Amino acid sequence: MPFEAFVKRYSEDVRPRLKLNTWLTKEHIIRTKIVPFFGPKRMCDITPKDVVDWQNRMVGSYDDEGKPYSGTYLRTINNQLSAIFNHAVKYYGLGKSPATPTIKIGERKGAEMRFWTKEQYLAFSEEVMDKPASFYAFEILYWCGLREGELLALTAKDIDIENRTISVTKSYSRLDGRDIIGPPKTKKSERVIALPRFLAQELQEYMEMECDIKEDDRLFPFTKYALSNTLKTAAKLAGVKEIRVHDLRHSHVSLLINLGFTAVAIADRMGHESVHITYRYAH
């Protein structure tokens, strides 16, 4: 069977067991990074040398911004290729995986976590005050520690001004030009987060400004890409080091540690599956 034909069988087996946004991420990697190389080759004819040639091509590839793929991304796409071959071995009688003898590319851990101090964040926030939607989005990211997808999926009914809470029940992603609203990353990610009093007041003001907003409308109807661009521009204007949007989550953990909260309390607020993740942030 050609590799490309087996991928369709793999899709039929695996897709029903995964969340939609998880599958779409895997499908994008398979379609754009793996099938173009292995597509017409017969599964039983693919050799470890073919896998090494593919790995070398991936190591020499660049993303849309002209940057080499990160170590963690290379490991992700390598693992996906291995998963396809392992599936063929386990369920369809392929003798052995040609990926097994090869050395994995990439790395399991990403670069050192970066974060802003409270003073650095406040300097940054001054530069986005003239863009209300962006300003309030970054306020939630820094003072509540939400993931980007959780933030961008928020609707008006998720904000309880009276009790000063945010309910995290879903996550936003954009794949192949489509907006996808699905469940959050893990079961533990579904949580109710306490808002600082000042932030509850700010969000009330924001929703009153957006007078035509309905309770099921997204509060922040933009993409992760737009959020990242705004952060880069404002960080430069503020004269603070550039970090990723996700690093605001690290910054929130840093803030909580500095305020004396326990690892267990922080893990609950952040939606971590275990305190071990929190300890890694704390490092």
Side-chain angles (χ1 to χ4, degrees):
M1 177 183 280
F3 183 89
E4 191 166 17
F6 180 75
V7 161
K8 292 177 183 176
R9 186 73 57 86
Y10 173 79
S11 170
E12 292 167 1
D13 291 347
V14 173
R15 182 173 183 173
R17 299 165 182 263
L18 300 175
K19 296 175 185 175
L20 177 59
N21 55 340
T22 301
W23 169 251
L24 289 174
T25 301
K26 288 169 74 70
E27 189 273 337
H28 177 78
I29 289 172
I30 294 167
R31 177 170 46 82
T32 62
K33 306 296 185 296
I34 300 176
V35 167
F37 186 91
F38 293 102
K41 298 178 188 290
R42 293 197 309 167
M43 290 290 288
C44 59
D45 291 339
I46 296 172
T47 66
K49 178 63 168 65
D50 292 325
V51 174
V52 169
D53 289 343
W54 171 80
Q55 289 175 327
N56 289 339
R57 179 175 293 187
M58 291 300 101
V59 169
S61 296
Y62 297 86
D63 62 20
D64 294 337
E65 296 181 358
K67 298 177 181 176
Y69 293 152
S70 69
T72 50
Y73 186 63
L74 287 171
R75 178 57 61 90
T76 297
I77 59 179
N78 194 104
N79 286 347
Q80 182 55 65
L81 179 68
S82 294
I84 293 170
F85 286 126
N86 290 341
H87 192 80
V89 170
K90 189 171 184 179
Y91 299 107
Y92 290 96
L94 183 67
K96 58 183 178 181
S97 167
T100 300
T102 66
I103 299 172
K104 288 185 177 182
I105 53 173
E107 55 193 26
R108 285 176 56 194
K109 292 185 178 180
E112 185 73 18
M113 290 181 180
R114 309 186 76 198
F115 65 92
W116 279 336
T117 62
K118 180 180 172 183
E119 291 71 27
Q120 288 171 320
Y121 171 72
L122 292 175
F124 160 83
S125 67
E126 289 281 340
E127 300 299 334
V128 288
M129 280 188 175
D130 59 336
K131 299 176 180 176
S134 296
F135 172 74
Y136 294 116
F138 285 117
E139 285 283 271
I140 291 173
L141 289 172
Y142 181 75
W143 296 107
C144 298
L146 269 65
R147 299 177 177 92
E148 293 169 78
E150 295 169 348
L151 167 86
L152 296 176
L154 287 178
T155 59
K157 69 180 180 184
D158 295 323
I159 312 296
D160 185 338
I161 300 297
E162 185 176 345
N163 293 307
R164 302 202 301 276
T165 61
I166 289 179
S167 295
V168 177
T169 60
K170 51 194 175 294
S171 184
Y172 165 90
S173 58
R174 186 169 178 81
L175 291 165
D176 295 330
R178 290 183 296 155
D179 291 336
I180 307 292
I181 301 293
K185 187 175 182 180
T186 64
K187 191 65 181 173
K188 200 76 182 281
S189 299
E190 294 185 22
R191 60 203 190 278
V192 176
I193 296 175
L195 288 169
R197 187 182 300 274
F198 72 86
L199 185 51
Q201 293 171 346
E202 288 180 348
L203 292 176
Q204 183 174 21
E205 292 168 7
Y206 174 58
M207 289 189 287
E208 288 171 355
M209 284 165 51
E210 304 288 325
C211 52
D212 59 341
I213 197 164
K214 300 178 179 62
E215 68 171 15
D216 288 319
D217 289 345
R218 287 172 57 212
L219 283 176
F220 306 106
F222 36 79
T223 63
K224 294 180 181 181
Y225 182 75
L227 206 59
S228 177
N229 276 351
T230 301
L231 185 146
K232 287 179 183 178
T233 302
K236 191 174 292 184
L237 290 171
V240 297
K241 67 184 178 186
E242 185 183 314
I243 61 174
R244 303 168 306 163
V245 174
H246 187 73
D247 292 324
L248 288 170
R249 187 165 158 84
H250 305 159
S251 302
H252 183 63
V253 175
S254 170
L255 176 72
L256 295 179
I257 292 169
N258 195 45
L259 291 172
F261 286 94
T262 67
V264 172
I266 295 172
D268 284 343
R269 184 170 175 85
M270 303 301 289
H272 289 160
E273 283 295 292
S274 77
V275 293
H276 297 298
I277 301 172
T278 310
Y279 285 131
R280 191 161 76 84
Y281 275 54
H283 171 73

